[in-house]
Amino acid sequence: MKKFSGSFAVSALVAAMSLSGVSQANVTDKDILQDQSTVEDVVSNGLGPRGQRYSPLDKINTNTVKDMRPVWSFSFGGEKQRGQESQPMVKDGVMYVTASYSRVFAVDTKTGDELWEYNARLPDGIMPCCDVINRGVALYDDLVIFGTLDAKLVALDAKTGKVKWKKTVADYKEGYSITAAPMIVNGKVITGVSGGEFGIVGKAEAYDAKTGKILWSRPTVEGHMGYIWKDGKKIENGISGGKPGQTWPGDLWKSGGAATWLGGTYDPDTNSVFIGTGNPAPWNSHMRPGDNLFSSSRLAIDPDTGKIKWHFQTTPHDGWDYDGVNELIAFDYKDGGKTVKAAATADRNGFMYVLNRTNGDFIRGFPFIDEINWAKGLDKNGRPIYNDEMRPGNPSASEDGKKGSSVHAVPAFLGGKNWMPMAYSQDTGLFYVPSNEWGMDIWNEPTAYKKGAAYLGAGFTIKPLSEDHIGVLRAMDPKTGKEVWRYQNFSPLWGGVLATAGNLVFIGTPEGYLKGFDAKTGEVKYQFNTGSGIVGSPITWEQDGEQFISVVSGWGGAVPLWGGEVAKRIKHLNQGGSIWTFKLPKS
Ligand code: CA
Ligand code: CA
């Protein structure tokens, strides 16, 4: 290769490189808003800000998918093979993907060659509840932005992986961390926080995506003050939900949990960020009589100001760790010729909800698991009708005051559905819901808040409900609540779903398979074993006229750590850490 010397030659080379379009990621707000229809890139978590995880690509379809094969695999390497829950992004021939322990990789989409790697330097005292996972980056302008296990936002140069800005979102010593992919809304990067098992106070925050300057902060526990920053000044912006103490006893709201740990989706129609909140703290519900707002809820937040426009609480006075964080996906459907602006979510508590996304009104709800027992159903407003016998007993009513009576509640706290995102097909009008059938023995114990320590007041053992399966991928009709088809899997499903116009639905399994199903019938049309369990979310995109599918493989996450008797049943599954990319052979 010819050697360059002198500043003129070097700057000419740099100019030539930037013109060639290699390693560019100048992502605009328009790119993000249009992401679903622009098949040559994936620049949002959820393949579009609404999070439908639906692609109009159809070259890989129910007829051709049998010929699909891997074209490259990339290893995250090192000794850090833990749960890999990331969704990759693709822009201009480069894939940006996160890995366990707060790492980011840029990879050439044609070859699988590494372009750069960023390793966050994590302190010893990080407190992630549920494995050292990360769910992906946000792309904006020439930046790759992600959240770390020590609760920072880091923006990297898309070309080099060098840090452009870094902000501390919260104090990891109090139990905060970040595992969700941040989202970009009109030039703002919006993030939530994890830490509901440590008595943190949940919040959503917006930062200027280009500079990292904070713009607003919205706590998600009733009684805490919100703030907005104008010209560098911090200004009070209303107390979340009004005065403290309305739905919380005493000072419990000061350590009330409601962690916004899964981030959110964005609905351009109503200019709302939909973000969910986790369990109220502590788990022992006898310590906090009341609805405990805004825990276990979906919130619609104004992205310009951080104001809460409406909330819908799925589990008021939660006593089972039924976090309400699961994705709320905007979709339209016709009812008697009228278009309904709806949004759907499948909750940890085993019920699926269809809401009016303009105001949060309940349209309908229905169970999506088989043996739900903590509630007898939902009332006309979508509020659960509790089965009082299934609330773990009050420890102070027990003989020694140390352990309340145990109950066998269904679903287990890991949920009828956990973080793994469902998909909505615009062709079939169905939601494809990754769910799990399991129960738990759960009991309450006395506890007190101590900064940086687990704050549960509960003990538990998760148990399978059958010998032959735990995971169930379900096709659910949001207009009727009917299950159209199901696929049962031996291990719990823990990865996201992708739906395509090729009449296909993809999901990975802990056994290592990437599986493709007929979207209408549920017939298995494809499977390939990636060598470790899949707990990531597949994507698809087009390059040079060919359709590609990629998924991250690497077993881990909450199940092996918290799964009780279920964890024993799946302990043979091997860890890993790699991306797999597939396509059809050239015709
Ligand atoms: Ca796109
Ligand atoms: Ca929780």
Side-chain angles (χ1 to χ4, degrees):
M1 186 182 159
K2 188 176 184 293
K3 275 193 184 152
F4 288 94
S5 59
S7 61
F8 172 76
V10 170
S11 58
L13 176 66
V14 169
M17 280 172 70
S18 58
L19 280 173
S20 74
V22 173
S23 298
Q24 297 284 301
N26 288 313
V27 174
T28 65
D29 289 303
K30 196 175 157 197
D31 291 337
I32 292 166
L33 289 172
Q34 295 182 344
D35 192 23
Q36 190 169 45
S37 57
T38 52
V39 295
E40 71 284 357
D41 61 23
V42 176
V43 294
S44 59
N45 192 270
L47 284 82
R50 292 175 297 179
Q52 290 184 345
R53 296 185 183 273
Y54 168 83
S55 169
L57 286 172
D58 61 0
K59 281 179 182 154
I60 297 171
N61 56 48
T62 39
N63 293 321
T64 61
V65 70
K66 63 181 188 307
D67 296 322
M68 189 170 91
R69 58 200 61 182
V71 285
W72 56 261
S73 175
F74 172 84
S75 171
F76 297 140
E79 295 161 6
K80 297 174 172 176
Q81 295 191 332
R82 296 288 291 269
Q84 311 295 351
E85 294 188 359
S86 186
Q87 181 218 291
M89 300 278 224
V90 167
K91 177 70 175 167
D92 293 339
V94 182
M95 181 177 290
Y96 303 93
V97 62
T98 59
S100 50
Y101 289 100
S102 302
R103 290 175 292 165
V104 185
F105 293 87
V107 179
D108 187 315
T109 54
K110 279 192 179 159
T111 59
D113 291 344
E114 179 176 314
L115 302 172
W116 53 256
E117 172 182 355
Y118 173 78
N119 262 278
R121 195 174 297 169
L122 296 169
D124 288 336
I126 54 167
M127 284 183 269
C129 73
C130 309
D131 203 3
V132 287
I133 57 104
N134 184 280
R135 300 195 173 95
V137 301
L139 299 179
Y140 193 70
D141 198 33
D142 59 350
L143 298 173
V144 178
I145 305 168
F146 84 114
T148 64
L149 291 166
D150 59 344
K152 291 182 170 65
L153 278 178
V154 181
L156 306 171
D157 185 316
K159 293 182 214 57
T160 63
K162 296 271 184 313
V163 175
K164 295 282 279 267
W165 58 256
K166 193 189 279 192
K167 291 286 159 179
T168 297
V169 174
D171 183 359
Y172 72 87
K173 290 177 186 154
E174 292 179 27
Y176 287 97
S177 56
I178 300 179
T179 51
M183 61 192 299
I184 303 287
V185 178
N186 300 327
K188 299 178 181 70
V189 53
I190 296 176
T191 185
V193 290
S194 308
E197 273 58 55
F198 302 97
I200 58 95
V201 172
K203 60 180 180 177
E205 288 191 337
Y207 295 79
D208 184 308
K210 288 192 187 178
T211 64
K213 274 197 185 128
I214 189 161
L215 299 171
W216 55 255
S217 178
R218 173 55 51 189
T220 53
V221 177
E222 180 187 77
H224 291 267
M225 181 63 73
Y227 293 93
I228 195 161
W229 279 258
K230 275 204 178 111
D231 308 319
K233 269 205 208 111
K234 184 178 179 180
I235 302 161
E236 289 188 351
N237 190 30
I239 300 171
S240 303
K243 283 188 303 237
Q246 297 179 95
T247 63
W248 292 86
D251 281 347
L252 273 278
W253 63 285
K254 291 181 179 169
S255 50
T260 47
W261 60 263
L262 195 48
T265 55
Y266 173 63
D267 173 38
D269 270 359
T270 58
N271 191 36
S272 298
V273 167
F274 299 137
I275 195 160
T277 57
N279 61 285
W283 287 18
N284 179 352
S285 65
H286 301 284
M287 290 173 60
R288 42 171 175 73
D291 279 0
N292 314 136
L293 290 174
F294 296 99
S295 66
S296 300
S297 301
R298 304 302 185 285
L299 308 178
I301 293 180
D302 183 333
D304 301 321
T305 63
K307 283 248 161 80
I308 296 174
K309 297 180 179 182
W310 55 257
H311 73 275
F312 180 86
Q313 191 173 35
T314 44
T315 312
H317 195 220
D318 167 49
W320 306 266
D321 189 37
Y322 291 152
D323 289 26
V325 295
N326 292 352
E327 70 287 359
L328 181 63
I329 298 179
F331 73 111
D332 294 340
Y333 69 92
K334 289 268 196 262
D335 184 12
K338 227 180 74 198
T339 298
V340 180
K341 285 186 182 297
T345 189
D347 200 87
R348 281 261 279 262
N349 71 18
F351 289 100
M352 187 163 175
Y353 300 81
V354 179
L355 306 178
N356 177 334
R357 72 177 186 266
T358 66
N359 56 18
D361 282 356
F362 175 72
I363 297 174
R364 70 183 68 87
F366 38 86
F368 63 92
I369 59 166
D370 292 338
E371 298 179 40
I372 194 164
N373 76 0
W374 69 277
K376 295 166 183 167
L378 303 174
D379 72 13
K380 65 179 182 3
N381 298 315
R383 194 179 169 91
I385 303 159
Y386 296 100
N387 182 359
D388 290 331
E389 290 165 16
M390 284 301 142
R391 184 178 293 274
N394 191 344
S396 58
S398 70
E399 262 179 35
D400 59 3
K402 285 183 180 153
K403 184 179 171 184
S405 57
S406 180
V407 299
H408 181 73
V410 180
F413 68 88
L414 288 179
K417 173 181 170 299
N418 203 285
W419 82 276
M420 56 285 193
M422 60 186 184
Y424 171 73
S425 166
Q426 296 179 357
D427 303 316
T428 62
L430 302 175
F431 280 88
Y432 299 93
V433 183
S435 64
N436 290 308
E437 302 281 350
W438 44 22
M440 64 177 165
D441 292 340
I442 181 169
W443 60 91
N444 286 151
E445 298 160 352
T447 186
Y449 175 74
K450 188 168 161 271
K451 182 180 155 179
Y455 184 43
L456 300 183
F460 43 81
T461 306
I462 292 189
K463 295 176 168 176
L465 297 176
S466 76
E467 287 301 311
D468 66 347
H469 74 281
I470 296 169
V472 186
L473 177 64
R474 291 172 153 93
M476 298 294 297
D477 186 337
K479 290 157 98 171
T480 62
K482 293 261 156 53
E483 179 186 299
V484 177
W485 58 259
R486 69 162 66 183
Y487 164 77
Q488 296 186 169
N489 198 68
F490 179 73
S491 297
L493 293 175
W494 209 255
V497 184
L498 169 70
T500 74
N503 190 36
L504 287 168
V505 172
F506 291 95
I507 190 171
T509 70
E511 288 86 352
Y513 287 100
L514 175 67
K515 283 183 181 266
F517 301 86
D518 184 310
K520 293 196 187 92
T521 66
E523 188 189 338
V524 178
K525 302 301 263 185
Y526 183 79
Q527 60 176 21
F528 176 87
N529 199 311
T530 59
S532 178
I534 296 176
V535 292
S537 302
I539 60 163
T540 187
W541 81 99
E542 191 175 79
Q543 186 169 313
D544 302 330
E546 291 184 289
Q547 184 183 353
F548 290 77
I549 287 176
S550 289
V551 70
V552 171
S553 168
W555 173 236
V559 179
L561 297 174
W562 294 81
E565 292 180 14
V566 169
K568 277 185 230 161
R569 203 157 117 171
I570 53 175
K571 67 179 190 303
H572 63 287
L573 298 173
N574 289 326
Q575 293 182 316
S578 56
I579 314 166
W580 287 83
T581 292
F582 303 81
K583 73 176 189 70
L584 297 172
K586 276 205 167 126
S587 50

